[in-house]
Amino acid sequence: MAYYMIAGAAILLLCIGFSKLLYRFGVPSLLIFIVLGMLAGSDGIGGIYFDDYALAQTLSSVALTFIMFFGGFSTNWKAAKPVAAPAILLSSVGTTLTALLTGLFCRFVLQFPLLESLLLGSIVASTDAASVFSILRSRKLNLKGGMASLLEIESGSNDPFAFMLTIILLTMMSGKGDNHFALLLFQQLGFGLLIGGLLGVGAVYFLRHVRFEVEAFYSLFVTAVAILCYALCDVIGGNSFLCVYIAGILLGNSKIPYKRSLVHFFDGISWLMQILLFFALGLLSFPSRLPAVAWQSIFISLFMIFVARPAAVFAILSWFKIPVRQQILVSWVGIRGAASIVFAIYAVTDCAMLQTDVFHIVFFLVLFSVLVQGTLMPTVAKKLDLVEKETSILRTFNDYQEKNDMELSEMRLTQEHPWCGCALSDIDLPESVLVVLIQRNKKSLVPRGSTSLKAGDILVLSGADQETLRAILPAESSTIK
C-alpha cells in the first residue's frame, strides 16, 4: 500500500511541477497531464499497463461530477447574464449542429457506418472549459464584448448536451431506443433540470437557515449535494452532468455562509480531479495505436475547426448581431477536451459492435485540437483586436467577486452570549470576518487581541456577506443590522 501511495504522490508532484514549468507558455494543463499519463503507460517509459475501460469510466464519472459542479459554482451569473441567451443556444443547438455536421462528414467522406459517424460527432461536439480558461488565466487575457463570459457559459454547459446525444446514439445502436427517442430526450433534459434545480434551491435554503458548529461541515455538505445530484439523476435516467451543473450555478450565485472558503475548496478539488482524470486517460491510451488513426483524426479535427464549428457559431450568433470578429474568435475557441475522451470510454464500454477505434480517434483528435487551437488562441484574439487590457479575466469568476464584496454589520452582546468575558484573541472567527470596532458606553474602542468583551458591547464586524455573519452569530443572543 505504501508503494502505491508513494507512486500517487509522485504523480501529483510531477503534474504540478510540469504545470508550473509550462503554465507561463500557455500550454493547457490537459495536454501536460495527458502526456505524462502516456509516458507512464505501457507504451511509455513507465510501463504501467492499464486497459480497464469500465474502471476508467467510473473514475471519470466521479471526476467530471466535481469538475462540472465547480464549473457551475464558479460561474459569475451577473457577468454572464448579458450573454447567457447566445451562450445557452451555442451549448445546446450549437452542440447538436456541430455533432450532426461532423457525423455527416465521417459518414460520407471517411465512409464510417452511419450511426457510428453520428456517435463520433456527438462525442466530440462539446468544448473544454478547463483548457480555454487555463490559457486565458496564464496569459492574463480577458476578451472584449463579454466573450469570456460567453465562452465560460457555453463550454461549461455543452458537455451535458454532448453526453445526452452520446447516450441517445448508444441507445439507438443497441436497438432499444427506436421508438422512445422523444421519451429519452425528455428524461435527459427534464430530470436533469428538475433535480438539479430542486436540490440546488433546497441546499441554498438549508445553508441559510442551519448553522454548523464546524466550518468544514459546510464544504462536506455541499460535496454531498453534488454527489447526490449525480447519483439520484443517474438512477432515474436523467442527465447527471446537467443536474450537477445546474445545482452548481444555483449554489455559486446565492448568498450562503463561508462562500469564499467553498470556492477555494472546490477549486482545489476540481484541480485534483482534473489531474487524476487527465493522467488516467493518458494511461488508458496506447500511443502505438495512434499513428493508424492519425490521418482520420486530423481530417475530422480540421473539418470541425474550419467548417462545423464556424457554421454552428455563425448560424446562432448572427441572430444576436454579434460582430463578425467576435464570431470568428468563438469559432476558433472550440477546443475539444477531456469530456470527449470520457464519452468515448462510454461508447467503448456500452457498445461492443463498434467497427472503428473510436477511443483512439477521439484521443488523437483532442490532442491535436488542444495543441493547435489552444496554442494559437492568444494570437488569434490579439490579431482580431479582442483582448481587453483594462479588465482582469478573473472578474468572470465568483472567486474574484467574493474577495471584493465586504459588508459591515453590528451586533450587541447580551449577558448570555458565549463571547462575554472572552478576549478577542480567544474567539474562533472565520478568516473572512473581522471585528473592526467596539462601542462601549458611547465610546469607541479600537479592538486588540487582548480586549475583553463585555455585556452591552456593540461589535462592528466586517464580513464577506450577511450570510457568513449569520452563520457565526447565535440568533437568540445577537442582533445584526
Side-chain angles (χ1 to χ4, degrees), residues 397-408:
F397 298 97
N398 270 329
D399 55 348
Y400 183 91
Q401 181 189 50
E402 288 304 305
K403 293 177 182 178
N404 294 278
D405 290 345
M406 303 299 292
E407 298 184 17
L408 295 177

Side-chain angles (χ1 to χ4, degrees), residues 333-404:
V333 188
I335 304 174
R336 311 300 136 180
S340 295
I341 304 177
V342 174
F343 300 157
I345 295 176
Y346 275 82
V348 172
T349 56
D350 291 356
C351 185
M353 304 301 293
L354 293 175
Q355 299 179 29
T356 54
D357 189 355
V358 170
F359 177 79
H360 284 94
I361 289 176
V362 173
F363 190 90
F364 192 100
L365 185 151
V366 168
L367 292 182
F368 184 83
S369 174
V370 172
L371 183 62
V372 175
Q373 293 172 275
T375 302
L376 295 178
M377 186 177 72
T379 302
V380 173
K382 292 176 181 177
K383 290 291 184 182
L384 294 171
D385 191 27
L386 291 175
V387 176
E388 178 62 68
K389 298 180 180 180
E390 298 180 357
T391 306
S392 170
I393 181 64
L394 297 179
R395 287 186 180 272
T396 65
F397 298 97
N398 270 329
D399 55 348
Y400 183 91
Q401 181 189 50
E402 288 304 305
K403 293 177 182 178
N404 294 278

Side-chain angles (χ1 to χ4, degrees), residues 92-115:
S92 54
V93 179
T95 299
T96 304
L97 183 56
T98 301
L100 178 61
L101 292 174
T102 305
L104 293 176
F105 174 81
C106 293
R107 174 68 186 97
F108 293 106
V109 177
L110 301 181
Q111 299 297 307
F112 291 170
L114 178 59
L115 288 181

Side-chain angles (χ1 to χ4, degrees), residues 412 437-445 455-458:
R412 181 185 295 273
L437 187 68
I438 299 175
Q439 293 181 344
R440 179 180 298 167
N441 299 325
K442 298 182 179 181
K443 294 182 179 181
S444 296
L445 304 178
D457 285 353
I458 298 177

Side-chain angles (χ1 to χ4, degrees), residues 239-257:
N239 191 319
S240 301
F241 296 127
L242 178 61
C243 178
V244 168
Y245 183 74
I246 293 298
I249 285 182
L250 291 173
L251 279 160
N253 289 275
S254 300
K255 288 187 175 182
I256 55 178

Side-chain angles (χ1 to χ4, degrees), residues 90-91 95 125-127 153-163 309:
L90 274 178
S91 68
T95 299
S126 63
T127 58
I153 291 289
E154 187 220 355
S155 59
S157 61
N158 60 12
D159 285 338
F161 285 96
F163 178 72
R309 171 72 174 178

